[in-house]
Amino acid sequence: MQSFDFYNPTHISFGEGKIAELDKLVPQDAKVLVLFGGNSAKSTGTLDEVKTALKQREVVEFGGIEANPTYETLMQAVDVIKQQNIDFLLAVGGGSVIDGTKFVAAAALFEGEPWDILLNWGANVTQAMPFGSVLTLPATGSEMNSGSVITRKELKAKLAFMSDHVFPRFSVLDPSKTFTLPERQVANGVVDAFVHITEQYLTFPVNAPVQDRFAEGLLQTLVELGPKALSEPQDYDVRANLMWVATMALNGLIGKGVPHDWATHMIGHEITALYDVDHARTLAMILPGLLDVRRQGKQEKLLQYASRVWGITQGSDDEIIDQVIEKTRQFFEQMGIQTRLSDYGLDNSSIDTIVAQLEAHGMTALGEKQDVDLAMSRKILERNL
């Protein structure tokens, strides 16, 4: 196992009715900017519930944060903070709203051009405003980590940053708030969490059985409960377990002491920025082909994944790997998510554009061994046509 440091200061308040805990979690004298996405926060009553819990605190609202939060919109929130003398931020929504709030928290106190935060992966962030979150869409794990992904429309760029300064102070997780989610968002959340786990698990062995078994258990839970979340949308226990799996998938725990891949995400980010395809759907269209192209380097973990997660043990090594890649693809499609570039209207000319963007953004040595160059990225994309 590799050496590591583990730090996660986020307080989790989990369960039905926990939004009322905001009165204890948010400072009594705070002037709060509540950030959210579209109309669902209002139409479902969640925003009113949040405002009731905040009681007599002064609250300013900022809506309109996109499913892929944009720099352009978030900088408007920064302006509101400065104009209104806001001193606490509260994200109400899914990972996109929370990611956006992390950027706003850092940008509001950043000296210089805030886009430089993204260009430097957050290494230049020295402070951030305090903030918490109320999670309504489990998927990204952003409610309990220090990472964020932001899109700049004018540059067609989607970049990430990380900083210990942007861990949420707290996150409220009420599974009942997911009952009204559209089926598409539920499916996206399951696949997003699934690929978060594989990015930290399907690499190469380093004798880390705790992390491996934890990751495998999370994957098995998603395979078991993902379809139930679609067929039994009012089942509290199903939604509660999915919400916690998505949080545990990317709160840092299973990724400590083991190598990470993230090539699927980096390639997928370019597709989202260029063609506005849902983030989770880009992951579903990249991962199967990536596992196929990189089967030699990932062989030991792919065979372990096949045996422990899917119960596949019969056949030669290549036959088992073929089977488990197909099982993975079938699971995504069972969740209602198509897995080919052509399913989204993309073709060979699109691949040229995606590869050019990877080069422009310095994504030329991806993967756990930094051996996914532009030629291999092209091969991965072609394998998924």
Side-chain angles (χ1 to χ4, degrees):
M1 193 192 316
Q2 299 170 349
S3 300
F4 64 89
D5 292 312
F6 180 61
Y7 171 73
N8 194 317
T10 302
H11 174 110
I12 297 294
S13 183
F14 189 104
E16 191 166 9
K18 285 289 189 173
I19 288 178
E21 297 289 310
L22 288 174
D23 187 42
K24 300 177 183 176
L25 296 168
V26 178
Q28 294 291 327
D29 58 351
K31 184 174 184 180
V32 183
L33 180 66
V34 177
L35 302 98
F36 56 96
N39 291 325
S40 62
K42 291 184 176 180
S43 63
T44 59
T46 300
L47 190 58
D48 284 339
E49 191 175 347
V50 166
K51 289 160 67 176
T52 298
L54 291 173
K55 295 187 175 179
Q56 301 305 312
R57 296 170 183 82
E58 188 172 354
V59 174
V60 178
E61 297 178 19
F62 183 88
I65 295 177
E66 305 90 344
N68 293 293
T70 66
Y71 175 83
E72 291 84 356
T73 296
L74 299 173
M75 288 306 297
Q76 294 175 31
V78 172
D79 289 341
V80 171
I81 288 168
K82 294 178 179 179
Q83 293 165 6
Q84 299 281 346
N85 295 316
I86 302 294
D87 52 30
F88 195 92
L89 309 179
L90 183 64
V92 179
S96 293
V97 175
I98 302 171
D99 275 17
T101 301
K102 289 175 181 177
F103 177 75
V104 170
L109 302 182
F110 189 74
E111 295 182 6
E113 167 53 54
W115 184 244
D116 288 342
I117 294 171
L118 282 303
L119 295 178
N120 288 277
W121 293 85
N124 50 356
V125 174
T126 60
Q127 58 183 334
M129 292 183 64
F131 74 97
S133 81
V134 175
L135 182 68
T136 61
L137 172 57
T140 70
S142 190
E143 66 276 5
M144 199 181 178
N145 67 37
S146 60
S148 170
V149 182
I150 305 300
T151 298
R152 190 163 184 176
K153 290 188 294 185
E154 63 176 321
L155 301 179
K156 292 190 180 298
K158 184 173 181 178
L159 302 179
F161 83 97
M162 296 188 71
S163 170
D164 283 353
H165 296 286
V166 295
F167 275 106
R169 297 287 179 92
F170 64 82
S171 288
V172 176
L173 281 60
D174 181 345
S176 69
K177 297 303 170 188
T178 71
F179 289 165
T180 58
L181 288 173
E183 188 173 288
R184 181 186 185 94
Q185 291 185 339
V186 175
N188 282 352
V190 170
V191 170
D192 198 4
F194 192 97
V195 181
H196 286 161
I197 299 164
T198 63
E199 296 276 31
Q200 301 164 86
Y201 168 69
L202 285 178
T203 55
F204 56 86
V206 291
N207 194 16
V210 173
Q211 294 92 321
D212 279 0
R213 292 294 191 182
F214 201 161
E216 290 154 3
L218 294 174
L219 290 170
Q220 288 174 318
T221 302
L222 288 171
V223 169
E224 177 185 350
L225 296 184
K228 290 183 179 179
L230 300 182
S231 63
E232 305 169 26
Q234 301 300 310
D235 189 313
Y236 178 87
D237 288 331
V238 169
R239 292 301 177 94
N241 281 287
L242 284 180
M243 182 171 267
W244 193 229
V245 168
T247 300
M248 298 304 289
L250 203 57
N251 70 353
L253 192 59
I254 66 170
K256 293 304 178 186
V258 298
H260 293 200
D261 186 341
W262 300 110
T264 296
H265 271 71
M266 297 303 101
I267 299 171
H269 285 171
E270 301 298 350
I271 297 173
T272 295
L274 287 165
Y275 304 108
D276 200 28
V277 179
D278 295 3
H279 170 62
R281 290 164 195 260
T282 70
L283 304 181
M285 73 170 79
I286 296 301
L287 181 64
L290 179 140
L291 296 179
D292 191 13
V293 170
R294 301 185 64 204
R295 63 170 58 209
Q296 184 174 353
K298 293 180 180 287
Q299 178 172 310
E300 288 182 75
K301 292 303 286 286
L302 279 168
L303 294 173
Q304 182 177 313
Y305 168 60
S307 173
R308 293 185 181 179
V309 175
W310 295 101
I312 301 171
T313 58
Q314 299 299 312
S316 67
D317 287 352
D318 273 338
E319 289 170 342
I320 289 173
I321 291 172
D322 285 340
Q323 291 179 66
V324 79
I325 292 172
E326 185 57 28
K327 276 285 190 183
T328 303
R329 187 185 297 277
Q330 288 173 0
F331 173 64
F332 295 160
E333 293 180 350
Q334 183 184 10
M335 295 302 301
I337 294 184
Q338 296 172 306
T339 60
R340 301 283 184 181
L341 274 71
S342 55
D343 294 327
Y344 300 87
L346 306 183
D347 54 20
N348 279 309
S349 65
S350 308
I351 292 176
D352 292 339
T353 305
I354 296 164
V355 172
Q357 286 293 87
L358 286 167
E359 183 174 22
H361 296 141
M363 304 296 172
T364 58
L366 303 175
E368 62 268 28
K369 294 182 178 178
Q370 290 79 57
D371 57 352
V372 180
D373 56 14
L374 294 176
M376 187 177 290
S377 289
R378 179 180 293 278
K379 186 180 295 185
I380 290 166
L381 288 161
E382 291 171 345
R383 196 66 54 90
N384 283 294
L385 267 177

